[in-house]
Structure formats: structure tokens, C-alpha cells
């Protein structure tokens, strides 16, 4: 019995994959790690599979598409391993439907994944506060139906086209195969290899899922003819692989159709399926030369990747890339921070501050409010908007009226920009209410599906689709997909050029909002604002002289010859929120090319810019205000208990240093900001108060404020939030510390009766 199990076809295939096809097995291992929430939890990757969203809702249809994606990946695994290893099991050639038999016996690894996924799916959804447990049944039925439909279509094709030994050599199909040059070459090559391969399979599962013995008389069949059966099957597999790949690429022409923007997890599985299929195709045509050819191909692609045709820049939309590139040199940076330039920008900002003060009685000294919001993807955008709406409502708009500067990074800036635009429109249009909760739903709508779908069908190849924005043509990429979806989610109210904010900011109607991005070339900040702010990156008194390294670059002035004021404001927000690999780094028209990414790497909380602004204008603030209130909106807890540590294992010793840098990056910036704040608080000639809001769902649970007492799940760092994550963000405003902060705001800005 033991030998019967050991030499059964499923077990032999499993062992073969472990010793020969480990890379393909690792695909399933990684997916299992994701499903079990061992990998990618911080980024929310498991929830893309366990709670997929399609057309802005989780439904049976979204799970249906996940089922389709899983089925295609599974069939890609079957097809590739059949092409690579099917010839070793000659008995398959004399059974009906050899490929289908192979799939049944090759399903041990996918079956383990499906079982684990099903259990985890049910547990996750039962804990997801659905309206009824029947919703779980409906979701799983959708997933199952997607798989069944896909398997039926693919197996139906193979049942119709794949022939066994007796059918194949009964007629003209043998003559057709003889005419295919590559087919004959592959058969001869495989024939030589199989001379040394020993078939060690004693039994296999048939189409009725019964374990039956292998034919004992297979040796009487001519080996070359047996191989031709596999070759015919391989050719059919190769054709369907090419069809599926071309079909996915064809979808790229319609990537902006929302109905074709598959759930993010389906895009991931399709991408994995294509990669697995390519392995099978290379193995089919190149045989033992496949590894060398792939290596040489990668070297060639890498060498040619900087050719202009292949290396097309990821652009910021609205500026003129056709103009002569701006010189990006130290001399140019020095010229843009000349003392006269600094004075001019300071005087312009002081005029703006005077207009802000004019909103209050002439004999009053109003509080000067700055809001600094941290980055953190969509969770930071939703949290920032929720806090701004809450304090606006609690003070009947008084704190918003007193606010004159927004700073921050990534998602926090997006939340600030959205609230600022809503507030601006509410000044002239009563249809816009800054307190309306519908805006929370808009800012938290899925923004990940179109990005990953565009990566799948467009960015992995040569991008060739273009669009026009205010007179300039740009290539579409996943950066465009991000902007376009954000534009749709926010009802297009942010779709305007940078210069459109010049007048309302100048009049003091809305706060200043310098959007910042990190310049990867040298670590400086790129400051994007309709009003030049050169003073944010250079010494005002000039005591450092020529030895000073300029800390920031004023976008408006640096790219003035490229129509910098025409920059799409959504592009500015994207530049500040460029998460590696999800959205591409933006390249700007300079020599050398300036490249930008998420500013959170240098100042994730916006505190540095806020304090710098206070330092530059300390004289005006001390004379014209009754002090400053700095409102900080963090997407993390500021002070946490020091965790316990255990003796590390060998692998942990290797990776712990890098892990510690990542984990403590938030703490390092927080401590640095504390040093700066303490210095400013003790040295400025005005009173400086701080009000802090923290997204800390763990504190909400500890303080038993959720009502239902559900475990509040910390939202992932992503551009897509589950319903449970959204609730944890919304409910976090009720933590003890945040309630104290609200009360403090109300004391400073009492609502008027």
C-alpha cells in the first residue's frame, strides 16, 4: 500500500515539482503566505484576495472574477508543467484525453491552495460584519462559479483537440504533424532525452477520480510515436497560451473602461499566469537552451532599455516636455535662491497673509492655524479628511477660517487638498457642504484596481496610448490611471491646473498648500505651489554663504519655461504620493533628468515645512496674531510601548537591521520633529500650541468605544481599503486622546451662537 501511494502519479508529480520546478511551486507558496496573512499585511495584499472589490463594491461578481483569475493561474501551472515534464510519463499517451488526466493528477498543489483559501475566506467574511451569513455563501458561490466556468471552457477545448495514441495515428493528423518543422525537431530532441528516463508511475487517477494501474504493455508502442502525442498536445497548449496572452494585451486598448478594470487580485493572478505561461512557451521551443536564452534576453533588454523608444518617461501632465530641458546644476539652484528672489517671495507671501488677516476685525489678533497631515496612502487621505471635517463641524467653521497653511505628504496632502477644494466651492455654492459624509466615501473609493490593471495590460510593454491635457500630449501609464481614478472618485473637482489656485490663495480664501515631492537625484524637496516659496529651502539671513546646500527647489520658477503653472494639480498630488512600483516615479524636463517620488521618505508628517514657514514669518506672526495653533494629523500612534524582544534566529540576524530601519523610520522622523518643535516653541516670539490627532484603532478597542466591541483592524498602507478598515479609521476619532484634542480645539475656537 505504501509503495502504491508513493508511486502514484499525483505523488510522483508532486515530488518532481519539488526537485525540478521549485520556482513554480514558490508561486503557490507565496500566494499561500499572502492568504494566511504572513506576507504583505502592512500593504493590505491579503485583502485583495479575501475581500476583492469590483465596480466599487464587494459582490459575488468580484469573487466570480477572482475565481476566473485563480482558474487561469491554475491552468497555466498545469499547461507549463505538462509541456516541461509530461513527456516523462509515456503512459499518458495511450490514455484518453491525456492532458486532462495530467491535470487531475497534477492538482495536489493547487488543491492545497484552494482548501486553505476557502477556509480563510469563510473565516474572514464571517468576521467582516456582513448583513447576513448568506452573503458569505453568495460570495463563495460567485468564486466557485468563476472557476467552474473557466475550467469548463478550457477543458472543453482540450477535450475537443487533444488526442490519444490510437486516435492520433488513425488518420491524417500524423501527416499534419510531420509537416511542422519545429514540431519534428522537438520530437527528435525529446526522443533522445527519454532514452534515459525511467517511468516510475504505477497508478493514476482517471476521469472518474478512481485510482487505476498504469497499462503494463506500454513498451510495445514505438517511443517516437508516443512522443508525437505529447508534441501535438504541447502545440495546442502553446496556442492557447499565446491566445490568452494576446487577449490580455488586447484589453489594454480598453483599460479605461471601468467594467474591464478587474479586481486587483485578478490582475495579479493574470500577471503570474502570463509569467508561468512564458516559462512553458520557452521550454517548448528552446528545450535545454531555455535558461541561457532567457539570461541573454534579459541582458539584451537591460542594455537596450535606455533607448528612447523603450525608455519613455513617466510624465507630469500639463507642462511642456517639448521645450529645452532646464539645466539642473548647483549654479542654477544658487541663482534661483538669490537674496533678491528670497525677498520677493517673502513679500508676496506677506501680502497673502495680510489678505488672510483682513477676514477678521481690524483691531483683532486672530489665531494662526497650520495643519500638518502625515502620509500613509488612502488611509491617511480618509483620516485627514475625517479629522478636518470633524473639527470644522465642532467649531462651526471657525478653525477652517483661521487656517492659513496646509503641509504634509502623500495621502495626507490628498485629504487636505480635497477638503480645501470642497471648502472653496462652499463659499459660493451651497450645494457643497464641507461636513457632508459623502466626501468620506468618495475619498475612500477603490483606486488600486485600475493601477494594477494598467500595469498588467500597458506598462509592462511599450506604452503607446496618449491623451491631451491643456494643449500638451502625454503617454498614458499607471500614473495616469491613478489620477484618472482619483478624479472620478472625487467627482472631478480637483481636475484643474496649478495656477487656478493662485487667486483664491492670494485673497486668503483658502490656505496655502505647498505640495512637496522628494527629488531622488539628490534628496532635495521639490515644492509645488502657485506662489513661489524659495524661502522654504534656503537661509533667510544668508550667513552660510556659498557653503550652504539648498534644501528645496521651487517648481514654479525652476520650470517656468515649461509652462509650470499649467501643471495638472492631480499630477502634483501624485508626485507627492508616488508609492514605489504602484505608481511610477515622475521624470521632469531637466538636464540631468529630475526624478521625484513620495516625499514621505524625507518628511512624512509635514512638520518640518510647517515650522520652517513659522520661522521665516515669525516677525509678521508675532505682530499680527495672538499665536499659532499647529494641528498635526498622524496616521499612526505617536508614542507606543517599547516592544519585548527575543533572541533572534540566524535569518532574523540577517534581515533585522533592514527591518529595524523600516520599522523605526516613523519613530526617527517623529523624534526629529519633536526636537524641532521644542526648539521653535522655546525660541519663537509668539505662543505656539499643538493639537494632535492620531489614527490608533487599537486605542479605540482598549477604551471600549466601538459599541459592537469588534476588534478594530488597522488599515493597510494601500490605495484600496476594505469596509472594515474604513470603519476603523472613522471610529478612531472617538479615542480618548482624539476626544481630548477635539475639546481643546473647541476651547480655542468656540462655536458662535
Amino acid at each position: 500500500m505504501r509503495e502504491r501511494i508513493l508511486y502514484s502519479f499525483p505523488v510522483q508529480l508532486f515530488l518532481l515539482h519539488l526537485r525540478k520546478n521549485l520556482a513554480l511551486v514558490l508561486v503557490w507558496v507565496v500566494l499561500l503566505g499572502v492568504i494566511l496573512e504572513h506576507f504583505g499585511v502592512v500593504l493590505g495584499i491579503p485583502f485583495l484576495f479575501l475581500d476583492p472589490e469590483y465596480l466599487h463594491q464587494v459582490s459575488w461578481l468580484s469573487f466570480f472574477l477572482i475565481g476566473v483569475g485563480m482558474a487561469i493561474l491554475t491552468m497555466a501551472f498545469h499547461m507549463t508543467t505538462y509541456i516541461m515534464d509530461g513527456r516523462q510519463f509515456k503512459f499518458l499517451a495511450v490514455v484518453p484525453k491525456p492532458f486532462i488526466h495530467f491535470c487531475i493528477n497534477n492538482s495536489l498543489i493547487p488543491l492545497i491552495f484552494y482548501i486553505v483559501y476557502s477556509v480563510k475566506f469563510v473565516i474572514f467574511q464571517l468576521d467582516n460584519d456582513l448583513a447576513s451569513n448568506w452573503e458569505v455563501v453568495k460570495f463563495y458561490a460567485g468564486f466557485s462559479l468563476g472557476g467552474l466556468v473557466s475550467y469548463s471552457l478550457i477543458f472543453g477545448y482540450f477535450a475537443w483537440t487533444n488526442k490519444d495514441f490510437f486516435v492520433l495515428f488513425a488518420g491524417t493528423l500524423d501527416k499534419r504533424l510531420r509537416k511542422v518543422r519545429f514540431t519534428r525537431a522537438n520530437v527528435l530532441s525529446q526522443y533522445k532525452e527519454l532514452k534515459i528516463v525511467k517511468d516510475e508511475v504505477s497508478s493514476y487517477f482517471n476521469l472518474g477520480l478512481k485510482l487505476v494501474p498504469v497499462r503494463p504493455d506500454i513498451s510495445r508502442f514505438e517511443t517516437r510515436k508516443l512522443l508525437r502525442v505529447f508534441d501535438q498536445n504541447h502545440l495546442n497548449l502553446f496556442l492557447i497560451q499565446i491566445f490568452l496572452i494576446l487577449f490580455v494585451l488586447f484589453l489594454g486598448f480598453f483599460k479605461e473602461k471601468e467594467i474591464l478594470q478587474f479586481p486587483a487580485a485578478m490582475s495579479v493572478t493574470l500577471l503570474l499566469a502570463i509569467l508561468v505561461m512564458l516559462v512553458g512557451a520557452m521550454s517548448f521551443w528552446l528545450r535545454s537552451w531555455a535558461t541561457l536564452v532567457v539570461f541573454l534576453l534579459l541582458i539584451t533588454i537591460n542594455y537596450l532599455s535606455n533607448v528612447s523608444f523603450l525608455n519613455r518617461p513617466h510624465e507630469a501632465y500639463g507642462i511642456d516636455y517639448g521645450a529645452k530641458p532646464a539645466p539642473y546644476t548647483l549654479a542654477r539652484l544658487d541663482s534661483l535662491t538669490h537674496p533678491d528672489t528670497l525677498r520677493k517671495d517673502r513679500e508676496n507671501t506677506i501680502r497673502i497673509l495680510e489678505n488672510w488677516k483682513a477676514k477678521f476685525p481690524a483691531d483683532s489678533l486672530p489665531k494662526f492655524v497650520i495643519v500638518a497631515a502625515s502620509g500613509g496612502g488612502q488611509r491617511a487621505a480618509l483620516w485627514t479628511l475625517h479629522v478636518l471635517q470633524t473639527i470644522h463641524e465642532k467649531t462651526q467653521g471657525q478653525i477652517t477660517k483661521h487656517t492659513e497653511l496646509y503641509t504634509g505628504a502623500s495621502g495626507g496632502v490628498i485629504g487636505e487638498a480635497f477638503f480645501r477644494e470642497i471648502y472653496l466651492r462652499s463659499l459660493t455654492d451651497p450645494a457643497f457642504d464641507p461636513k457632508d459624509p459623502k466626501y468620506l466615501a468618495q475619498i475612500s473609493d477603490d483606486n488600486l484596481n485600475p493601477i494594477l490593471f494598467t500595469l498588467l495590460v500597458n506598462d509592462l510593454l511599450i506604452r503607446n496610448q496618449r491623451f491631451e491635457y491643456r494643449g500638451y500630449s502625454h503617454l498614458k501609464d499607471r500614473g495616469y490611471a491613478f489620477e484618472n481614478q482619483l478624479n472620478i472618485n472625487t467627482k472631478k473637482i480637483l481636475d484643474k491646473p496649478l495656477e487656478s489656485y493662485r487667486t483664491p490663495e492670494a485673497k486668503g480664501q483658502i490656505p496655502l498648500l505647498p505640495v512637496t515631492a522628494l527629488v531622488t537625484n539628490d534628496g532635495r524637496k521639490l515644492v509645488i505651489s502657485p506662489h513661489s516659496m524659495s524661502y522654504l529651502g534656503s537661509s533667510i539671513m544668508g550667513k552660510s554663504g556659498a557653503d550652504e546646500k539648498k534644501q528645496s527647489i521651487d517648481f514654479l520658477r525652476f520650470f517656468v519655461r515649461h509652462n509650470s503653472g499649467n501643471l495638472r494639480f492631480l499630477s502634483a498630488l501624485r508626485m507627492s504620493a508616488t508609492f514605489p512600483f504602484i505608481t511610477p516615479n515622475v521624470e521632469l524636463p531637466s538636464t540631468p533628468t529630475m526624478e521625484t517620488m513620495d516625499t514621505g521618505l524625507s518628511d512624512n508628517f509635514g512638520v518640518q515645512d510647517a515650522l520652517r514657514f513659522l520661522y521665516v514669518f515669525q516677525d509678521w506672526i508675532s505682530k499680527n496674531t495672538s499665536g499659532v495653533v499647529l494641528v498635526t494629523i498622524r496616521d499612526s500612534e505617536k508614542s507606543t510601548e517599547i516592544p519585548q524582544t527575543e533572541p533572534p534566529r540566524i535569518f532574523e540576524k540577517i534581515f533585522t537591521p533592514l527591518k529595524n530601519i523600516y520599522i523605526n523610520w516613523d519613530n526617527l522622523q517623529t523624534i526629529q520633529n519633536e526636537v524641532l518643535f521644542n526648539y521653535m516653541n522655546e525660541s519663537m516670539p509668539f505662543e505656539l500650541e499643538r493639537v494632535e490627532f492620531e489614527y490608533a484603532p487599537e486605542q479605540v478597542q482598549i477604551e471600549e468605544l466601538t459599541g459592537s466591541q469588534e476588534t478594530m483592524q488597522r488599515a493597510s498602507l494601500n490605495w484600496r481599503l476594505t469596509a472594515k478598515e474604513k470603519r476603523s479609521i472613522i471610529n478612531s476619532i472617538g479615542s480618548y486622546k482624539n476626544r481630548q484634542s477635539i475639546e481643546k480645539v473647541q476651547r480655542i475656537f468656540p462655536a458662535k451662537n
Side-chain angles (χ1 to χ4, degrees):
M1 182 65 181
R2 179 170 169 241
E3 287 192 1
R4 187 183 181 191
I5 294 175
L6 179 62
Y7 290 102
S8 64
F9 196 19
V11 173
Q12 287 297 304
L13 280 173
F14 179 75
L15 295 175
L16 175 66
H17 295 329
L18 290 181
R19 69 173 183 267
K20 182 186 175 187
N21 303 322
L22 194 56
L24 297 179
V25 175
L26 285 177
V27 171
W28 294 103
V29 172
V30 171
L31 284 177
L32 276 174
V34 168
I35 297 303
L36 293 172
E37 298 187 42
H38 294 314
F39 301 148
V41 177
V42 174
L43 301 178
I45 298 176
F47 311 136
L48 303 181
F49 292 85
L50 298 172
D51 200 41
E53 194 168 312
Y54 177 63
L55 299 178
H56 301 288
Q57 62 179 340
V58 178
S59 64
W60 74 269
L61 186 56
S62 63
F63 280 102
F64 175 89
L65 293 173
I66 296 297
V68 172
M70 292 289 191
I72 292 176
L73 176 59
T74 303
M75 291 308 301
F77 173 73
H78 288 324
M79 289 186 281
T80 296
T81 52
Y82 183 77
I83 288 174
M84 295 171 63
D85 305 313
R87 65 185 185 278
Q88 296 188 26
F89 306 97
K90 294 176 288 184
F91 75 91
L92 283 174
V94 297
V95 300
K97 314 302 180 188
F99 175 67
I100 298 179
H101 274 90
F102 179 87
C103 291
I104 292 174
N105 289 272
N106 192 46
S107 294
L108 185 57
I109 294 176
L111 180 61
I112 293 172
F113 174 81
Y114 270 89
I115 292 174
V116 173
Y117 177 80
S118 298
V119 173
K120 187 66 178 178
F121 161 85
V122 172
I123 294 173
F124 183 89
Q125 290 299 334
L126 286 176
D127 192 41
N128 209 23
D129 256 10
L130 297 176
S132 165
N133 288 343
W134 286 108
E135 289 290 305
V136 181
V137 176
K138 185 171 71 173
F139 289 167
Y140 193 77
F143 172 76
S144 303
L145 181 62
L148 288 173
V149 170
S150 302
Y151 288 127
S152 298
L153 292 174
I154 297 175
F155 280 127
Y157 168 80
F158 286 120
W160 177 54
T161 58
N162 281 183
K163 312 298 180 182
D164 59 38
F165 182 88
F166 304 102
V167 173
L168 181 60
F169 289 98
T172 60
L173 193 55
D174 178 43
K175 297 179 181 179
R176 288 201 343 251
L177 287 172
R178 290 178 183 274
K179 296 179 182 180
V180 182
R181 183 176 179 182
F182 283 114
T183 301
R184 289 177 55 78
N186 268 294
V187 170
L188 294 175
S189 172
Q190 295 168 29
Y191 174 62
K192 294 177 182 179
E193 293 177 12
L194 276 187
K195 286 183 177 180
I196 59 173
V197 175
K198 182 180 180 182
D199 195 341
E200 296 184 341
V201 175
S202 61
S203 59
Y204 66 96
F205 282 103
N206 63 13
L207 298 182
L209 299 182
K210 293 182 178 179
L211 195 63
V212 297
V214 170
R215 291 181 61 126
D217 56 345
I218 190 174
S219 59
R220 68 186 178 87
F221 298 107
E222 185 180 342
T223 302
R224 184 173 296 188
K225 288 187 176 181
L226 289 174
L227 282 173
R228 199 165 292 160
V229 176
F230 292 111
D231 204 55
Q232 179 261 344
N233 291 341
H234 290 175
L235 187 60
N236 284 332
L237 292 175
F238 177 71
L239 291 176
I240 196 171
Q241 287 176 342
I242 295 299
F243 169 77
L244 289 174
I245 292 172
L246 291 178
F247 175 72
V248 169
L249 299 181
F250 172 74
L251 292 177
F253 293 102
F254 308 98
K255 59 180 177 291
E256 291 170 40
K257 299 291 184 182
E258 194 173 34
I259 195 172
L260 292 179
Q261 291 174 356
F262 302 144
M266 183 181 181
S267 295
V268 171
T269 54
L270 288 178
L271 177 59
L272 290 174
I274 289 176
L275 294 176
V276 170
M277 288 177 182
L278 288 176
V279 171
M282 298 291 284
S283 175
F284 175 73
W285 292 113
L286 301 175
R287 305 295 306 138
S288 59
W289 290 94
T291 302
L292 177 61
V293 171
V294 169
F295 177 76
L296 293 176
L297 186 61
L298 290 175
I299 295 296
T300 303
I301 292 174
N302 179 67
Y303 180 76
L304 297 176
S305 61
N306 63 348
V307 177
S308 59
F309 178 69
L310 297 175
N311 188 29
R312 299 186 176 186
H314 297 280
E315 300 176 346
Y317 308 134
I319 60 176
D320 184 6
Y321 279 80
K324 183 180 178 181
Y328 184 21
T329 62
L330 294 178
R332 177 91 191 287
L333 294 180
D334 288 338
S335 70
L336 295 179
T337 53
H338 187 275
D340 290 341
T341 302
L342 296 176
R343 177 181 52 79
K344 177 182 177 181
D345 289 351
R346 288 179 64 196
E347 290 175 351
N348 179 62
T349 302
I350 287 176
R351 286 193 292 270
I352 295 174
L353 296 178
E354 294 286 355
N355 291 335
W356 166 82
K357 187 187 176 187
K359 297 188 297 183
F360 306 97
D363 57 346
S364 67
L365 293 176
K367 285 287 187 181
F368 188 89
V369 179
I370 297 178
V371 177
S374 75
Q378 197 169 46
R379 76 181 180 205
L382 176 58
W383 175 236
T384 298
L385 178 61
H386 186 42
V387 171
L388 291 176
Q389 283 190 320
T390 300
I391 60 179
H392 178 84
E393 180 180 12
K394 296 296 184 181
T395 63
Q396 294 184 4
Q398 287 301 306
I399 191 169
T400 307
K401 183 180 178 182
H402 283 75
T403 303
E404 180 51 9
L405 179 66
Y406 284 149
T407 63
S410 189
V413 168
I414 292 177
E416 289 174 328
F418 190 39
F419 179 81
R420 186 178 74 151
E421 180 63 34
I422 296 167
Y423 177 72
L424 174 62
R425 299 200 178 206
S426 72
L427 299 178
T428 56
D429 186 350
F432 288 87
D433 180 6
K435 306 184 300 295
D436 197 327
K438 73 178 182 182
Y439 299 119
L440 297 175
Q442 292 177 13
I443 199 69
S444 60
D445 264 352
D446 173 65
N447 203 17
L448 188 63
N449 285 354
I451 296 175
L452 292 186
F453 184 69
T454 302
L455 173 65
L456 172 69
V457 302
N458 185 79
D459 285 15
L460 291 179
L461 299 174
I462 300 174
R463 293 171 286 120
N464 54 15
Q465 290 181 281
R466 307 186 74 91
F467 81 107
E468 283 200 11
Y469 181 77
R470 292 177 61 87
Y472 298 108
S473 176
H474 302 279
L475 285 168
K476 293 181 179 179
D477 57 15
R478 60 191 186 280
Y480 171 81
F482 173 85
E483 290 185 27
N484 187 54
Q485 191 60 51
L486 179 61
N487 196 28
I488 293 172
N489 292 349
T490 55
K491 309 304 178 186
K492 301 185 178 181
I493 67 172
L494 291 171
D495 194 7
K496 52 175 62 177
L498 180 65
E499 61 188 6
S500 67
Y501 286 109
R502 181 176 291 121
T503 299
E505 284 188 5
K507 292 181 177 180
Q509 293 176 300
I510 56 175
L512 298 168
L513 175 56
V515 179
T516 58
L518 179 68
V519 179
T520 61
N521 306 60
D522 52 22
R524 291 180 171 89
K525 276 186 183 178
L526 184 68
V527 180
I528 306 171
S529 170
H531 299 278
S532 290
M533 296 184 173
S534 57
Y535 48 76
L536 288 181
S538 182
S539 171
I540 299 301
M541 302 178 68
K543 289 185 176 182
S544 300
D547 294 332
E548 180 187 16
K549 181 173 182 176
K550 309 306 180 185
Q551 300 103 56
S552 68
I553 302 169
D554 179 58
F555 173 84
L556 194 69
R557 187 173 283 118
F558 191 94
F559 293 104
V560 65
R561 295 184 179 178
H562 299 81
N563 200 2
S564 52
N566 197 53
L567 174 73
R568 192 186 195 191
F569 187 63
L570 287 167
S571 289
L573 296 177
R574 169 166 61 97
M575 291 164 69
S576 180
T578 299
F579 196 85
F581 306 112
I582 301 300
T583 48
N585 290 3
V586 170
E587 298 168 42
L588 296 170
S590 64
T591 306
T593 301
M594 186 185 295
E595 191 170 326
T596 68
M597 66 173 293
D598 197 310
T599 192
L601 188 62
S602 63
D603 181 16
N604 192 50
F605 301 99
V607 172
Q608 293 179 26
D609 289 334
L611 297 180
R612 176 74 182 182
F613 188 91
L614 293 180
Y615 169 76
V616 172
F617 297 101
Q618 58 181 292
D619 291 338
W620 187 93
I621 292 173
S622 65
K623 295 175 183 178
N624 294 277
T625 74
S626 58
V628 174
V629 178
L630 175 63
V631 178
T632 61
I633 305 174
R634 299 175 54 99
D635 86 323
S636 60
E637 197 171 354
K638 180 179 174 180
S639 299
T640 58
E641 193 58 59
I642 300 172
Q644 296 291 334
T645 59
E646 297 180 0
R649 298 182 177 88
I650 294 177
F651 284 172
E652 290 174 340
K653 288 181 179 179
I654 296 174
F655 295 107
T656 293
L658 293 176
K659 179 182 177 183
N660 286 342
I661 292 175
Y662 170 75
I663 292 175
N664 285 310
W665 199 258
D666 183 278
N667 291 327
L668 289 171
Q669 290 195 20
T670 298
I671 291 173
Q672 183 182 23
N673 290 338
E674 286 295 291
V675 172
L676 292 174
F677 179 82
N678 290 337
Y679 173 77
M680 293 288 290
N681 192 26
E682 295 169 1
S683 62
M684 288 295 98
F686 49 77
E687 182 183 1
L688 177 57
E689 296 180 82
R690 180 169 55 180
V691 182
E692 297 178 307
F693 291 90
E694 299 176 358
Y695 167 53
E698 301 86 356
Q699 293 300 317
V700 178
Q701 178 65 20
I702 291 171
E703 292 151 20
E704 300 183 349
L705 297 172
T706 61
S708 64
Q709 296 308 301
E710 64 175 325
T711 300
M712 299 305 296
Q713 180 177 5
R714 179 165 184 78
S716 53
L717 181 60
N718 208 326
W719 288 111
R720 188 260 168 171
L721 299 170
T722 66
K724 194 170 184 178
E725 289 175 323
K726 294 176 186 178
R727 287 197 301 274
S728 82
I729 294 172
I730 300 300
N731 289 339
S732 195
I733 198 69
S735 72
Y736 176 71
K737 184 167 185 177
N738 289 332
R739 283 186 290 129
Q740 282 188 314
S741 296
I742 292 173
E743 291 172 1
K744 186 175 182 179
V745 166
Q746 289 178 305
R747 287 195 301 269
I748 300 172
F749 302 100
K752 294 184 178 181
N753 296 326

